[in-house]
Amino acid sequence: MMAGSGRRRLLALWFPFLPAERLRRHEGAARPFVIAAKERNVLRIFALGRAAARLGLQEGQPLANARAMVPGLEVIPANPHADALMLERLAGWCGRFTPLVSLDRPYGLILDITGASHLFGGEKAMMRKASEGLQVRGFSAQAAIAGTAMAARALARHRTGLITPEGSEAEAVSPLPIDALQLDAVTTHAFRRAGLKTIGQSAGRKRSELMARFGASTLAVIDEALGKSVSPTSPLPPPPEFWRARHFAEPVATLEVIRAALAALSAELAAVMEREGVGARALDAAFFRADGALRRIAIETGAPVRAVAVIDRLFREKLASLADPLDPGFGFDVIRLAAIHVEAMPVEAVSLDSAAQEEQDIAFLIDRLAARFGRARVQRFHPRETHVPERAWVMKPAQEDVEASPWRGIRGTGEPPRRPLRLFERPEPVEVESPPLRLSWRKVTRCLIQWEGPERIAMEWWRKKEEPRDYYRAEDEEGRRYWLYCEAARQPPQWFLHGLFA
């Protein structure tokens, strides 16, 4: 399924009592309370619960006046940061309906349900299911559906439950008060002073007059509310390019069923990617639990893939290696698989070249290891353009695309190795005596019977504190071979052991 096909449809959710319900999900008959914050050195009501609203208290009202109206009123300090985190958690829960969920701060969400409502029996059934699900979790939500975000959010606040047919946004929002546009207080007051109390009255004035008095940004808001223009939304997290979802009438909890669902989704997603000529570089599996919890599992690949067997095997590796096992709780009612990053992958003929097959097998092995142990823990060596031995290579994730020059050979055919297989992280100081040549390393003295060098390696000119090195290859009487260097510029000369040959 590709999001964004056809005419846009957006579902707006507004939580009028979010701060209060975050603290007390099921207020019931509890005594009224308000949430207060200091504004211009005056304590005012920041938010209130349903019981306090029924008593006539209002947001922005001075706390002293509220206490005079309701003696013994309970007051709780405001915590906007906690409210924002709760809104993000609610956005994660709403991801079961569509992956395109945007924050409409401070207490709203915008869901792009284009092409997704049929999975829930239509827009009306989808909106009802979202509202009822949030109500069960203790959150009161007002909802509306329209073709633009501004129209949907205005209707959610003032005509909850309304679903506007395509192209009828102007008719639906015209009777709404100008407050529904959520403009700043100064602009809203200016509209009222001009006698423009509803959106329809404002839209009936000349555009040149509105532009001159209120500016282009306000005119753009009015146009969007009337359905004349569309502004983009910013989903959180970024929307996937391709996705498939499976909804269960009864929540599933067994690992076998979960694996089977992932395999089926992999096949559906692979078919879509094949039609589009792309392959996935990163995949995300989202598991929506019946109690509202959300768990995500992501895998990455070193090259674009769309083979069902490969995707299924990588997710099995990931599930088997989770330090925190996938806890189904009361079961998952939705499982969604998304390709969050894709690249072009044209159809190619099957190669009979054994070298190409080996490269594919190695790439698959790297992907499996990365899925099990983590991308950062599976690395490979890459050459760097420097002749300094300890800086001639760098370790990077094996799945990462790195444009690097190939390793350059420094010995001819039949010659012994000129560089050791084992290079020390830091050269170790040693003592060299001559004649006869003796090497003292780690409190052990060895007699050297063969000696070759020097090979001078100068340090980079911008590293002024480092001296040039004279390297030697040496072998002791037991056949052990060493890679030594001397810093002759120092007085007395200092010797170091930098590596060991096999």
Side-chain angles (χ1 to χ4, degrees):
M1 178 183 300
M2 292 186 62
S5 58
R7 186 71 179 267
R8 288 187 76 195
R9 300 293 286 168
L10 297 111
L11 165 63
L13 296 171
W14 181 52
F15 305 93
F17 303 106
L18 177 65
E21 291 173 340
R22 175 182 62 81
L23 296 169
R24 300 176 183 176
R25 300 280 182 93
H26 305 279
E27 185 179 353
R31 67 173 185 169
F33 72 96
V34 297
I35 299 171
K38 184 173 287 188
E39 180 183 352
R40 297 179 181 177
N41 294 324
V42 177
L43 280 174
R44 297 182 181 273
I45 296 179
F46 177 80
L48 40 78
R50 191 181 298 274
R54 287 196 293 264
L55 296 175
L57 302 181
Q58 298 179 355
E59 293 183 9
Q61 182 179 6
L63 184 60
N65 295 353
R67 280 175 165 161
M69 294 174 59
V70 183
L73 180 67
E74 183 180 359
V75 179
I76 301 174
N79 190 343
H81 179 67
D83 296 337
L85 292 178
M86 178 55 69
L87 185 64
E88 292 181 8
R89 289 182 60 186
L90 292 174
W93 182 86
C94 289
R96 66 190 60 231
F97 301 104
T98 171
L100 308 178
V101 182
S102 305
L103 300 180
D104 182 22
R105 300 185 189 278
Y107 308 133
L109 298 172
I110 302 292
L111 282 65
D112 190 336
I113 60 172
T114 307
S117 59
H118 69 281
L119 300 173
F120 302 87
E123 293 179 349
K124 184 176 181 180
M126 185 183 196
M127 185 169 64
R128 183 181 67 252
K129 187 171 184 178
S131 300
E132 291 176 353
L134 290 165
Q135 186 67 41
V136 169
R137 284 154 184 81
F139 291 96
S140 305
Q142 297 181 196
I145 296 177
T148 68
M150 182 56 65
R153 71 199 296 256
L155 293 170
R157 286 160 172 77
H158 295 273
R159 296 185 66 183
T160 182
L162 184 66
I163 300 176
T164 61
E166 293 183 4
S168 61
E169 286 78 15
E171 180 182 353
V173 303
S174 291
L176 302 184
I178 201 68
D179 295 352
L181 297 178
Q182 299 292 302
L183 301 171
D184 61 87
V186 175
T187 304
T188 301
H189 182 66
F191 270 103
R192 289 173 177 169
R193 290 190 59 183
L196 306 175
K197 298 181 180 180
T198 67
I199 298 177
Q201 291 175 343
S202 303
R205 305 301 289 265
K206 294 182 179 180
R207 294 182 63 85
S208 58
E209 179 183 346
L210 294 175
M211 176 74 76
R213 185 161 187 176
F214 301 105
S217 59
T218 301
L219 187 60
V221 171
I222 295 175
D223 286 344
E224 185 181 355
L226 297 172
K228 296 180 180 179
S229 64
V230 177
S231 64
T233 56
S234 301
L236 182 72
E241 301 190 51
F242 301 91
W243 59 280
R244 276 289 186 269
R246 178 150 297 190
H247 301 262
F248 302 94
E250 294 292 335
V252 298
T254 61
L255 189 58
E256 291 76 12
V257 176
I258 294 171
R259 287 176 174 172
L262 277 177
L265 292 173
S266 299
E268 296 176 11
L269 191 62
V272 175
M273 291 191 292
E274 185 174 3
R275 288 198 302 268
E276 298 295 329
V278 298
R281 286 292 306 275
L283 294 137
D284 175 82
F287 302 87
F288 296 88
R289 227 164 59 176
D291 60 357
L294 170 62
R295 183 72 186 275
R296 293 181 180 275
I297 296 177
I299 60 172
E300 297 182 53
T301 61
V305 298
R306 60 170 177 251
V308 178
V310 173
I311 297 174
D312 184 50
R313 180 62 182 272
L314 293 178
F315 271 111
R316 285 177 179 268
E317 293 280 357
K318 191 70 173 181
L319 288 171
S321 64
L322 291 176
D324 181 15
L326 193 65
D327 180 15
F330 293 103
F332 299 112
D333 52 7
V334 180
I335 298 177
R336 186 177 68 223
L337 180 62
I340 55 180
H341 177 54
V342 298
E343 292 182 359
M345 187 181 178
V347 178
E348 297 180 354
V350 177
S351 176
L352 300 179
D353 184 6
S354 60
Q357 185 62 42
E358 288 178 0
E359 290 182 2
Q360 293 179 4
D361 292 342
I362 292 174
F364 182 41
L365 175 61
I366 291 173
D367 292 339
R368 288 177 56 194
L369 293 173
R372 180 171 286 273
F373 301 111
R375 178 175 180 270
R377 294 187 176 184
V378 184
Q379 301 185 339
R380 64 168 49 158
F381 292 94
H382 292 277
R384 286 201 297 193
E385 292 296 333
T386 178
H387 54 271
V388 180
E390 61 268 28
R391 303 189 191 112
W393 50 271
V394 63
M395 294 286 290
K396 292 189 176 182
Q399 291 181 315
E400 185 174 324
D401 290 331
V402 178
E403 293 294 335
S405 57
W407 295 97
R408 292 181 297 180
I410 59 174
R411 65 166 173 162
T413 304
E415 291 184 2
R418 298 181 61 185
R419 294 290 184 270
L421 291 179
R422 180 185 177 190
L423 194 70
F424 295 156
E425 183 177 359
R426 291 185 179 87
E428 299 186 12
V430 296
E431 294 181 6
V432 176
E433 304 173 6
S434 62
L437 290 176
R438 294 182 181 275
L439 171 66
S440 298
W441 173 49
R442 296 182 179 177
K443 300 181 180 181
V444 177
T445 301
R446 298 169 173 84
C447 182
L448 303 178
I449 60 174
Q450 293 193 55
W451 186 273
E452 183 182 8
E455 176 191 355
R456 171 152 291 195
I457 297 180
M459 300 297 101
E460 287 94 344
W461 60 266
W462 57 89
R463 300 179 185 271
K464 297 181 179 180
K465 294 183 179 181
E466 297 184 355
E467 303 293 341
R469 303 171 183 175
D470 291 333
Y471 277 87
Y472 298 84
R473 288 181 292 175
E475 182 177 336
D476 66 13
E477 54 190 356
E478 296 183 8
R480 289 185 289 260
R481 303 180 70 233
Y482 310 93
W483 202 43
L484 305 152
Y485 73 83
C486 174
E487 292 184 351
R490 297 191 182 187
Q491 292 299 327
Q494 295 187 7
W495 287 87
F496 296 87
L497 179 61
H498 205 167
L500 299 174
F501 291 90

